[in-house]
Amino acid sequence: MNRNYRYRLLLLLAVLWMGACNSKEPSESPASPRQEETVSEMPAFTGRLYTSGLSVAETEKLQLEQPVYQLSGKKSFFFSGPDSLRFYIGRCLGVNGEVKSGWEEWPEQLNGQFTYGRAALTVQELQVLHLKDCPDIEGKGTAIESTGMVDTFSGNLRRMERPAPDVAYDYALELAEPYQDASHPVEPGKWVKELPLVVFDAGQINQLEAALANDETISLKASREQGYAEQTVLRLQAIVEGK
């Protein structure tokens, strides 16, 4: 990442931080979903900021500079940014920039490395947007209808690092009541203390972000299903309440 690019990103993040600190609610974190920005003109690319899910070897083959993030939405993009950008994971961001050279045709592979159906961006400017400006959820259009039995689960949320770029495990529920999984594929009888959440609704993601910001215990309706690498996941149906 060149010095001018890194400087512009760091300067932008500093301005966002100062603006949040000078708001009417100075005790509130600038990452809180209640602090929403209004923009007069929509940026070229929009989406929610999440971890890239790329390994070090994959990042090198794709010729991206670490750390790598992704803008997640109906279409998703990789881009490089400073470490401090992690503070904005889960937020709706706008990106002004362009598709990187060599990625314009959305290649399936680059340098022998699978691109996970994403392109990569060269970033000129980042903006924090209103949550309503990110209505598109990755994978929603191709999601298979849930057939699992719906049950109620309670606990607290934590953020996850994606295990792969196209596996949208961005939130996990730390269960208030762990359970013993007799059919666990690796460790039969293992006590399960947390499960990844699979979410296909923008409003529900906004609720999860609010619960995270306030460290709330939540209850939700979800079905237990088999996910990536035979891992059990919770497919979210509805958030019942916040405590």
Side-chain angles (χ1 to χ4, degrees), residues 74-100:
K74 194 171 184 179
K75 290 185 176 181
S76 297
F77 302 87
F78 296 124
F79 70 95
S80 299
D83 289 332
S84 54
L85 195 56
R86 295 181 66 86
F87 188 79
Y88 292 87
I89 285 178
R91 298 299 304 267
C92 177
L93 293 188
V95 174
N96 281 320
E98 58 187 14
V99 176
K100 286 177 70 71

PDB file of all heavy atoms in Angstrom, residues 74-100:
ATOM      1  N   LYS A  74     -24.694  -7.504  -2.484  1.00  0.00           N
ATOM      2  CA  LYS A  74     -25.147  -8.300  -3.628  1.00  0.00           C
ATOM      3  C   LYS A  74     -23.948  -8.693  -4.475  1.00  0.00           C
ATOM      4  O   LYS A  74     -23.868  -9.809  -4.999  1.00  0.00           O
ATOM      5  CB  LYS A  74     -26.144  -7.485  -4.453  1.00  0.00           C
ATOM      6  CG  LYS A  74     -26.924  -8.308  -5.457  1.00  0.00           C
ATOM      7  CD  LYS A  74     -28.038  -7.481  -6.070  1.00  0.00           C
ATOM      8  CE  LYS A  74     -28.882  -8.327  -7.008  1.00  0.00           C
ATOM      9  NZ  LYS A  74     -29.995  -7.542  -7.603  1.00  0.00           N
ATOM     10  N   LYS A  75     -23.000  -7.784  -4.646  1.00  0.00           N
ATOM     11  CA  LYS A  75     -21.683  -8.067  -5.182  1.00  0.00           C
ATOM     12  C   LYS A  75     -20.683  -7.711  -4.091  1.00  0.00           C
ATOM     13  O   LYS A  75     -20.866  -6.732  -3.374  1.00  0.00           O
ATOM     14  CB  LYS A  75     -21.404  -7.252  -6.447  1.00  0.00           C
ATOM     15  CG  LYS A  75     -22.213  -7.681  -7.656  1.00  0.00           C
ATOM     16  CD  LYS A  75     -21.775  -6.903  -8.893  1.00  0.00           C
ATOM     17  CE  LYS A  75     -22.507  -7.390 -10.134  1.00  0.00           C
ATOM     18  NZ  LYS A  75     -22.058  -6.654 -11.363  1.00  0.00           N
ATOM     19  N   SER A  76     -19.624  -8.496  -3.999  1.00  0.00           N
ATOM     20  CA  SER A  76     -18.656  -8.268  -2.933  1.00  0.00           C
ATOM     21  C   SER A  76     -17.271  -8.021  -3.514  1.00  0.00           C
ATOM     22  O   SER A  76     -16.944  -8.513  -4.594  1.00  0.00           O
ATOM     23  CB  SER A  76     -18.627  -9.458  -1.974  1.00  0.00           C
ATOM     24  OG  SER A  76     -19.886  -9.617  -1.335  1.00  0.00           O
ATOM     25  N   PHE A  77     -16.461  -7.254  -2.749  1.00  0.00           N
ATOM     26  CA  PHE A  77     -15.161  -6.815  -3.232  1.00  0.00           C
ATOM     27  C   PHE A  77     -14.106  -6.931  -2.133  1.00  0.00           C
ATOM     28  O   PHE A  77     -14.393  -6.655  -0.965  1.00  0.00           O
ATOM     29  CB  PHE A  77     -15.222  -5.346  -3.686  1.00  0.00           C
ATOM     30  CG  PHE A  77     -16.233  -5.065  -4.760  1.00  0.00           C
ATOM     31  CD1 PHE A  77     -17.553  -4.776  -4.428  1.00  0.00           C
ATOM     32  CD2 PHE A  77     -15.860  -5.080  -6.097  1.00  0.00           C
ATOM     33  CE1 PHE A  77     -18.493  -4.507  -5.420  1.00  0.00           C
ATOM     34  CE2 PHE A  77     -16.787  -4.811  -7.096  1.00  0.00           C
ATOM     35  CZ  PHE A  77     -18.108  -4.530  -6.755  1.00  0.00           C
ATOM     36  N   PHE A  78     -12.892  -7.294  -2.526  1.00  0.00           N
ATOM     37  CA  PHE A  78     -11.748  -7.200  -1.632  1.00  0.00           C
ATOM     38  C   PHE A  78     -11.147  -5.800  -1.755  1.00  0.00           C
ATOM     39  O   PHE A  78     -11.194  -5.180  -2.818  1.00  0.00           O
ATOM     40  CB  PHE A  78     -10.660  -8.204  -2.024  1.00  0.00           C
ATOM     41  CG  PHE A  78     -11.051  -9.647  -1.893  1.00  0.00           C
ATOM     42  CD1 PHE A  78     -10.950 -10.508  -2.989  1.00  0.00           C
ATOM     43  CD2 PHE A  78     -11.487 -10.165  -0.688  1.00  0.00           C
ATOM     44  CE1 PHE A  78     -11.286 -11.842  -2.877  1.00  0.00           C
ATOM     45  CE2 PHE A  78     -11.834 -11.500  -0.561  1.00  0.00           C
ATOM     46  CZ  PHE A  78     -11.728 -12.339  -1.668  1.00  0.00           C
ATOM     47  N   PHE A  79     -10.570  -5.311  -0.655  1.00  0.00           N
ATOM     48  CA  PHE A  79      -9.742  -4.109  -0.739  1.00  0.00           C
ATOM     49  C   PHE A  79      -8.811  -4.062   0.462  1.00  0.00           C
ATOM     50  O   PHE A  79      -9.089  -4.652   1.509  1.00  0.00           O
ATOM     51  CB  PHE A  79     -10.588  -2.829  -0.841  1.00  0.00           C
ATOM     52  CG  PHE A  79     -11.335  -2.463   0.413  1.00  0.00           C
ATOM     53  CD1 PHE A  79     -10.806  -1.561   1.324  1.00  0.00           C
ATOM     54  CD2 PHE A  79     -12.590  -2.998   0.678  1.00  0.00           C
ATOM     55  CE1 PHE A  79     -11.498  -1.202   2.472  1.00  0.00           C
ATOM     56  CE2 PHE A  79     -13.292  -2.649   1.813  1.00  0.00           C
ATOM     57  CZ  PHE A  79     -12.745  -1.750   2.722  1.00  0.00           C
ATOM     58  N   SER A  80      -7.707  -3.377   0.310  1.00  0.00           N
ATOM     59  CA  SER A  80      -6.720  -3.248   1.379  1.00  0.00           C
ATOM     60  C   SER A  80      -6.948  -1.943   2.133  1.00  0.00           C
ATOM     61  O   SER A  80      -7.386  -0.941   1.561  1.00  0.00           O
ATOM     62  CB  SER A  80      -5.303  -3.270   0.797  1.00  0.00           C
ATOM     63  OG  SER A  80      -5.060  -4.495   0.136  1.00  0.00           O
ATOM     64  N   GLY A  81      -6.644  -1.958   3.430  1.00  0.00           N
ATOM     65  CA  GLY A  81      -6.810  -0.762   4.246  1.00  0.00           C
ATOM     66  C   GLY A  81      -5.987  -0.872   5.517  1.00  0.00           C
ATOM     67  O   GLY A  81      -5.389  -1.919   5.793  1.00  0.00           O
ATOM     68  N   PRO A  82      -5.950   0.173   6.323  1.00  0.00           N
ATOM     69  CA  PRO A  82      -5.148   0.162   7.554  1.00  0.00           C
ATOM     70  C   PRO A  82      -5.769  -0.714   8.640  1.00  0.00           C
ATOM     71  O   PRO A  82      -6.959  -1.039   8.604  1.00  0.00           O
ATOM     72  CB  PRO A  82      -5.149   1.631   7.978  1.00  0.00           C
ATOM     73  CG  PRO A  82      -6.421   2.168   7.421  1.00  0.00           C
ATOM     74  CD  PRO A  82      -6.631   1.470   6.108  1.00  0.00           C
ATOM     75  N   ASP A  83      -4.969  -1.100   9.631  1.00  0.00           N
ATOM     76  CA  ASP A  83      -5.459  -1.910  10.746  1.00  0.00           C
ATOM     77  C   ASP A  83      -6.627  -1.233  11.456  1.00  0.00           C
ATOM     78  O   ASP A  83      -7.551  -1.899  11.926  1.00  0.00           O
ATOM     79  CB  ASP A  83      -4.334  -2.164  11.759  1.00  0.00           C
ATOM     80  CG  ASP A  83      -3.278  -3.120  11.221  1.00  0.00           C
ATOM     81  OD1 ASP A  83      -3.621  -3.960  10.368  1.00  0.00           O
ATOM     82  OD2 ASP A  83      -2.119  -3.018  11.650  1.00  0.00           O
ATOM     83  N   SER A  84      -6.587   0.094  11.557  1.00  0.00           N
ATOM     84  CA  SER A  84      -7.625   0.833  12.287  1.00  0.00           C
ATOM     85  C   SER A  84      -9.004   0.700  11.657  1.00  0.00           C
ATOM     86  O   SER A  84     -10.019   0.964  12.297  1.00  0.00           O
ATOM     87  CB  SER A  84      -7.247   2.313  12.387  1.00  0.00           C
ATOM     88  OG  SER A  84      -6.990   2.841  11.099  1.00  0.00           O
ATOM     89  N   LEU A  85      -9.064   0.254  10.409  1.00  0.00           N
ATOM     90  CA  LEU A  85     -10.358   0.091   9.744  1.00  0.00           C
ATOM     91  C   LEU A  85     -11.171  -1.031  10.383  1.00  0.00           C
ATOM     92  O   LEU A  85     -12.399  -1.082  10.247  1.00  0.00           O
ATOM     93  CB  LEU A  85     -10.145  -0.186   8.253  1.00  0.00           C
ATOM     94  CG  LEU A  85     -11.353  -0.043   7.323  1.00  0.00           C
ATOM     95  CD1 LEU A  85     -11.974   1.341   7.426  1.00  0.00           C
ATOM     96  CD2 LEU A  85     -10.946  -0.337   5.886  1.00  0.00           C
ATOM     97  N   ARG A  86     -10.506  -1.916  11.109  1.00  0.00           N
ATOM     98  CA  ARG A  86     -11.219  -3.013  11.771  1.00  0.00           C
ATOM     99  C   ARG A  86     -12.261  -2.495  12.754  1.00  0.00           C
ATOM    100  O   ARG A  86     -13.237  -3.185  13.066  1.00  0.00           O
ATOM    101  CB  ARG A  86     -10.231  -3.930  12.511  1.00  0.00           C
ATOM    102  CG  ARG A  86      -9.271  -4.668  11.605  1.00  0.00           C
ATOM    103  CD  ARG A  86      -8.354  -5.575  12.418  1.00  0.00           C
ATOM    104  NE  ARG A  86      -9.108  -6.638  13.049  1.00  0.00           N
ATOM    105  CZ  ARG A  86      -9.404  -7.788  12.456  1.00  0.00           C
ATOM    106  NH1 ARG A  86      -9.018  -8.022  11.229  1.00  0.00           N
ATOM    107  NH2 ARG A  86     -10.086  -8.709  13.103  1.00  0.00           N
ATOM    108  N   PHE A  87     -12.066  -1.271  13.237  1.00  0.00           N
ATOM    109  CA  PHE A  87     -13.025  -0.687  14.174  1.00  0.00           C
ATOM    110  C   PHE A  87     -14.403  -0.522  13.530  1.00  0.00           C
ATOM    111  O   PHE A  87     -15.421  -0.448  14.218  1.00  0.00           O
ATOM    112  CB  PHE A  87     -12.498   0.671  14.648  1.00  0.00           C
ATOM    113  CG  PHE A  87     -13.304   1.283  15.761  1.00  0.00           C
ATOM    114  CD1 PHE A  87     -13.140   0.853  17.066  1.00  0.00           C
ATOM    115  CD2 PHE A  87     -14.246   2.249  15.490  1.00  0.00           C
ATOM    116  CE1 PHE A  87     -13.901   1.412  18.086  1.00  0.00           C
ATOM    117  CE2 PHE A  87     -14.996   2.821  16.513  1.00  0.00           C
ATOM    118  CZ  PHE A  87     -14.821   2.394  17.809  1.00  0.00           C
ATOM    119  N   TYR A  88     -14.450  -0.473  12.207  1.00  0.00           N
ATOM    120  CA  TYR A  88     -15.699  -0.224  11.492  1.00  0.00           C
ATOM    121  C   TYR A  88     -16.313  -1.487  10.902  1.00  0.00           C
ATOM    122  O   TYR A  88     -17.265  -1.402  10.121  1.00  0.00           O
ATOM    123  CB  TYR A  88     -15.459   0.814  10.387  1.00  0.00           C
ATOM    124  CG  TYR A  88     -15.147   2.166  10.965  1.00  0.00           C
ATOM    125  CD1 TYR A  88     -13.835   2.504  11.297  1.00  0.00           C
ATOM    126  CD2 TYR A  88     -16.158   3.085  11.247  1.00  0.00           C
ATOM    127  CE1 TYR A  88     -13.545   3.728  11.868  1.00  0.00           C
ATOM    128  CE2 TYR A  88     -15.873   4.304  11.822  1.00  0.00           C
ATOM    129  CZ  TYR A  88     -14.566   4.624  12.131  1.00  0.00           C
ATOM    130  OH  TYR A  88     -14.277   5.832  12.709  1.00  0.00           O
ATOM    131  N   ILE A  89     -15.795  -2.658  11.272  1.00  0.00           N
ATOM    132  CA  ILE A  89     -16.377  -3.901  10.782  1.00  0.00           C
ATOM    133  C   ILE A  89     -17.838  -3.985  11.221  1.00  0.00           C
ATOM    134  O   ILE A  89     -18.184  -3.703  12.362  1.00  0.00           O
ATOM    135  CB  ILE A  89     -15.572  -5.114  11.284  1.00  0.00           C
ATOM    136  CG1 ILE A  89     -14.265  -5.220  10.485  1.00  0.00           C
ATOM    137  CG2 ILE A  89     -16.368  -6.405  11.159  1.00  0.00           C
ATOM    138  CD1 ILE A  89     -13.353  -6.332  10.914  1.00  0.00           C
ATOM    139  N   GLY A  90     -18.688  -4.383  10.291  1.00  0.00           N
ATOM    140  CA  GLY A  90     -20.121  -4.460  10.542  1.00  0.00           C
ATOM    141  C   GLY A  90     -20.885  -3.234  10.104  1.00  0.00           C
ATOM    142  O   GLY A  90     -22.106  -3.266   9.973  1.00  0.00           O
ATOM    143  N   ARG A  91     -20.166  -2.122   9.853  1.00  0.00           N
ATOM    144  CA  ARG A  91     -20.815  -0.896   9.412  1.00  0.00           C
ATOM    145  C   ARG A  91     -21.090  -0.929   7.920  1.00  0.00           C
ATOM    146  O   ARG A  91     -20.472  -1.674   7.158  1.00  0.00           O
ATOM    147  CB  ARG A  91     -19.939   0.324   9.738  1.00  0.00           C
ATOM    148  CG  ARG A  91     -19.684   0.546  11.221  1.00  0.00           C
ATOM    149  CD  ARG A  91     -20.949   0.785  12.018  1.00  0.00           C
ATOM    150  NE  ARG A  91     -21.731   1.890  11.509  1.00  0.00           N
ATOM    151  CZ  ARG A  91     -21.634   3.149  11.942  1.00  0.00           C
ATOM    152  NH1 ARG A  91     -20.749   3.444  12.868  1.00  0.00           N
ATOM    153  NH2 ARG A  91     -22.394   4.097  11.448  1.00  0.00           N
ATOM    154  N   CYS A  92     -22.011  -0.078   7.497  1.00  0.00           N
ATOM    155  CA  CYS A  92     -22.282   0.120   6.078  1.00  0.00           C
ATOM    156  C   CYS A  92     -21.317   1.182   5.572  1.00  0.00           C
ATOM    157  O   CYS A  92     -21.288   2.299   6.094  1.00  0.00           O
ATOM    158  CB  CYS A  92     -23.728   0.568   5.883  1.00  0.00           C
ATOM    159  SG  CYS A  92     -24.164   0.937   4.171  1.00  0.00           S
ATOM    160  N   LEU A  93     -20.508   0.827   4.585  1.00  0.00           N
ATOM    161  CA  LEU A  93     -19.501   1.746   4.062  1.00  0.00           C
ATOM    162  C   LEU A  93     -19.748   2.040   2.585  1.00  0.00           C
ATOM    163  O   LEU A  93     -20.247   1.201   1.845  1.00  0.00           O
ATOM    164  CB  LEU A  93     -18.095   1.167   4.205  1.00  0.00           C
ATOM    165  CG  LEU A  93     -17.516   0.980   5.603  1.00  0.00           C
ATOM    166  CD1 LEU A  93     -16.041   0.588   5.493  1.00  0.00           C
ATOM    167  CD2 LEU A  93     -17.663   2.220   6.455  1.00  0.00           C
ATOM    168  N   GLY A  94     -19.360   3.238   2.201  1.00  0.00           N
ATOM    169  CA  GLY A  94     -19.322   3.608   0.800  1.00  0.00           C
ATOM    170  C   GLY A  94     -17.872   3.763   0.378  1.00  0.00           C
ATOM    171  O   GLY A  94     -17.051   4.281   1.139  1.00  0.00           O
ATOM    172  N   VAL A  95     -17.557   3.288  -0.810  1.00  0.00           N
ATOM    173  CA  VAL A  95     -16.196   3.349  -1.316  1.00  0.00           C
ATOM    174  C   VAL A  95     -16.192   4.066  -2.658  1.00  0.00           C
ATOM    175  O   VAL A  95     -16.935   3.692  -3.571  1.00  0.00           O
ATOM    176  CB  VAL A  95     -15.595   1.934  -1.488  1.00  0.00           C
ATOM    177  CG1 VAL A  95     -14.225   2.019  -2.148  1.00  0.00           C
ATOM    178  CG2 VAL A  95     -15.501   1.222  -0.151  1.00  0.00           C
ATOM    179  N   ASN A  96     -15.385   5.092  -2.758  1.00  0.00           N
ATOM    180  CA  ASN A  96     -15.103   5.698  -4.055  1.00  0.00           C
ATOM    181  C   ASN A  96     -13.736   5.215  -4.498  1.00  0.00           C
ATOM    182  O   ASN A  96     -12.760   5.282  -3.731  1.00  0.00           O
ATOM    183  CB  ASN A  96     -15.135   7.225  -3.974  1.00  0.00           C
ATOM    184  CG  ASN A  96     -16.551   7.756  -3.973  1.00  0.00           C
ATOM    185  OD1 ASN A  96     -17.412   7.254  -4.699  1.00  0.00           O
ATOM    186  ND2 ASN A  96     -16.829   8.753  -3.150  1.00  0.00           N
ATOM    187  N   GLY A  97     -13.669   4.712  -5.702  1.00  0.00           N
ATOM    188  CA  GLY A  97     -12.440   4.149  -6.233  1.00  0.00           C
ATOM    189  C   GLY A  97     -12.754   3.439  -7.526  1.00  0.00           C
ATOM    190  O   GLY A  97     -13.731   3.749  -8.207  1.00  0.00           O
ATOM    191  N   GLU A  98     -11.942   2.457  -7.855  1.00  0.00           N
ATOM    192  CA  GLU A  98     -12.155   1.725  -9.100  1.00  0.00           C
ATOM    193  C   GLU A  98     -11.704   0.290  -8.939  1.00  0.00           C
ATOM    194  O   GLU A  98     -10.963  -0.050  -8.006  1.00  0.00           O
ATOM    195  CB  GLU A  98     -11.386   2.392 -10.242  1.00  0.00           C
ATOM    196  CG  GLU A  98      -9.903   2.493  -9.996  1.00  0.00           C
ATOM    197  CD  GLU A  98      -9.195   3.311 -11.066  1.00  0.00           C
ATOM    198  OE1 GLU A  98      -9.874   4.014 -11.842  1.00  0.00           O
ATOM    199  OE2 GLU A  98      -7.951   3.245 -11.124  1.00  0.00           O
ATOM    200  N   VAL A  99     -12.189  -0.567  -9.835  1.00  0.00           N
ATOM    201  CA  VAL A  99     -11.782  -1.967  -9.831  1.00  0.00           C
ATOM    202  C   VAL A  99     -10.304  -2.040 -10.227  1.00  0.00           C
ATOM    203  O   VAL A  99      -9.863  -1.376 -11.162  1.00  0.00           O
ATOM    204  CB  VAL A  99     -12.651  -2.789 -10.809  1.00  0.00           C
ATOM    205  CG1 VAL A  99     -12.156  -4.232 -10.876  1.00  0.00           C
ATOM    206  CG2 VAL A  99     -14.115  -2.754 -10.372  1.00  0.00           C
ATOM    207  N   LYS A 100      -9.548  -2.833  -9.486  1.00  0.00           N
ATOM    208  CA  LYS A 100      -8.104  -2.948  -9.727  1.00  0.00           C
ATOM    209  C   LYS A 100      -7.817  -3.518 -11.113  1.00  0.00           C
ATOM    210  O   LYS A 100      -8.591  -4.327 -11.639  1.00  0.00           O
ATOM    211  CB  LYS A 100      -7.464  -3.847  -8.669  1.00  0.00           C
ATOM    212  CG  LYS A 100      -7.330  -3.221  -7.296  1.00  0.00           C
ATOM    213  CD  LYS A 100      -6.752  -4.204  -6.297  1.00  0.00           C
ATOM    214  CE  LYS A 100      -5.296  -4.511  -6.571  1.00  0.00           C
ATOM    215  NZ  LYS A 100      -4.436  -3.355  -6.247  1.00  0.00           N
TER     216      LYS A 100
END
